[in-house]
């Protein structure tokens, strides 16, 4: 709009410009337009905040077999798992997260960015924002990698508290976490993975998982249904030990 046109719009009986048109707009329509504008602004603001959160934590992954999103760290940096990877007969020997697409440079770079991000002072807030923005009901921690230390565990617990509508599954081979399982939020299931293949569930953990070679002893249905969870939610369900 030129300066002349704006001047004409201000004159009685002059040309109708944007300002004059808005004055003649019915009140209900004007309110709706303002409301829509505010919604767009809020949406853009939310998108900006989510993108900023992603810059801090790194992106979430979406495993094809699972009903929700996940968050992976480099398997090479597992504390206990890093040792078990060298032990034949352990559940970490021949780890899937050390081969295939996981070894691509771009994947490794993303995983190490996430690992570094754990120390960021806004990590809890950023992770919470990302998870809640996905509108998912289920979330898995560490489709690769594991808990690094007590501070890391405490932060994960806090993220779960701040996303109460999401069920969190946290598998680990870090046996020391047994001392803190009672502090886990109601919507987070901390599962200790037994370190050796065909090892019976043991210890004081409330929830455990095992790896067996005898199909008749297996309880996970994924291998029989295309390696997908489908309707099974046992890993998130606290009624399932």
């Amino acid at each position: 709009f030129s300066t002349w046109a704006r001047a004409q719009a201000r004159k009685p009986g002059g040309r109708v410009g944007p300002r004059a048109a808005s004055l003649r707009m019915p009140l209900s329509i004007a309110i709706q337009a303002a409301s829509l504008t505010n919604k767009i602004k809020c949406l853009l603001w939310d998108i900006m905040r989510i993108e900023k959160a992603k810059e801090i934590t790194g992106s979430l992954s979406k495993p094809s077999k699972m009903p929700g999103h996940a968050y992976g760290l480099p398997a090479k940096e597992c504390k206990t798992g890093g040792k078990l990877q060298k032990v034949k007969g352990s559940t970490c020997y021949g780890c899937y997260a050390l081969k295939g697409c996981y070894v691509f440079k771009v994947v490794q770079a993303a995983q190490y960015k996430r690992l570094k991000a754990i120390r960021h002072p806004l990590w809890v807030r950023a992770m919470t924002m990302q998870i809640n923005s996905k509108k998912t009901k289920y979330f898995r921690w560490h489709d690769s990698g594991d808990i690094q230390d007590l501070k890391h565990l405490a932060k994960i617990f806090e993220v779960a508290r701040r996303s109460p509508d999401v069920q969190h599954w946290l598998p680990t081979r870090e046996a020391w976490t047994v001392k803190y399982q009672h502090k886990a939020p109601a919507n987070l299931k901390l599962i200790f993975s037994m370190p050796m293949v065909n090892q019976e569930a043991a210890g004081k953990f409330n929830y455990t998982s095992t790896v067996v070679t005898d199909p008749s002893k297996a309880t996970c249905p994924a291998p029989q249904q295309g390696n997908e969870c489908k309707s099974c939610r046992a890993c998130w369900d606290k009624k399932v030990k």
Side-chain angles (χ1 to χ4, degrees):
F1 233 52
S2 66
T3 303
W4 177 85
R6 291 194 183 96
Q8 292 300 311
R10 295 191 188 101
K11 294 180 180 179
R15 291 177 179 270
V16 178
R19 185 173 301 179
S22 65
L23 292 176
R24 298 179 183 182
M25 185 182 297
L27 181 59
S28 60
I29 296 178
I31 292 174
Q32 290 177 10
S35 177
L36 180 59
T37 300
N38 288 334
K39 287 181 179 178
I40 293 174
K41 288 181 178 178
C42 288
L43 179 60
L44 292 174
W45 175 243
D46 285 343
I47 292 174
M48 290 172 62
R49 291 169 65 201
I50 293 170
E51 287 302 312
K52 183 63 178 178
K54 190 184 297 184
E55 289 179 16
I56 293 173
T57 65
S59 60
L60 304 182
S61 60
K62 184 66 174 68
S64 58
K65 68 167 286 185
M66 295 180 190
H69 288 76
Y71 189 75
L73 300 177
K76 290 181 180 179
E77 303 302 327
C78 290
K79 303 304 182 183
T80 299
K83 299 174 184 177
L84 290 172
Q85 290 162 13
K86 304 172 185 177
V87 180
K88 289 186 177 181
S90 77
T91 54
C92 294
Y93 189 73
C95 177
Y96 67 86
L98 291 175
K99 51 191 175 183
C101 295
Y102 286 94
V103 301
F104 292 169
K105 288 184 178 180
V106 64
V107 175
Q108 287 289 299
Q111 290 181 342
Y112 274 96
K113 177 181 179 179
R114 296 184 193 119
L115 181 66
K116 182 179 179 180
I118 293 170
R119 309 300 176 190
H120 196 289
L122 295 178
W123 186 84
V124 169
R125 185 178 298 179
M127 276 300 299
T128 302
M129 183 175 295
Q130 276 218 79
I131 293 172
N132 285 333
S133 72
K134 298 300 182 181
K135 308 298 183 184
T136 183
K137 294 182 179 179
Y138 301 96
F139 186 80
R140 175 184 176 172
W141 290 93
H142 310 142
D143 56 323
S144 64
D146 205 340
I147 302 166
Q148 296 296 297
D149 51 34
L150 181 55
K151 288 184 177 179
H152 186 200
L153 178 64
K155 287 183 176 182
I156 291 174
F157 282 179
E158 184 58 27
V159 171
R161 292 189 188 96
R162 297 187 183 194
S163 51
D165 296 328
V166 180
Q167 296 300 312
H168 295 256
W169 166 27
L170 176 57
T172 184
R173 287 180 177 81
E174 299 301 322
W176 58 265
T177 58
V178 69
K179 296 185 292 185
Y180 305 97
Q181 63 179 350
H182 66 285
K183 294 186 177 182
N187 62 325
L188 183 145
K189 187 175 180 180
L190 176 63
I191 304 178
F192 180 64
S193 302
M194 302 307 295
M196 303 303 291
V197 176
N198 292 323
Q199 182 180 5
E200 295 290 336
K204 297 181 180 180
F205 269 90
N206 294 330
Y207 306 100
T208 57
S209 67
T210 60
V211 175
V212 297
T213 54
D214 183 352
S216 66
K217 295 182 179 180
T219 56
C220 176
Q224 309 303 321
Q225 49 193 34
N227 289 320
E228 295 184 3
C229 297
K230 293 192 180 293
S231 62
C232 180
R233 299 293 181 269
C235 292
W236 293 270
D237 187 353
K238 285 193 169 183
K239 294 179 182 178
V240 179
K241 293 293 184 179

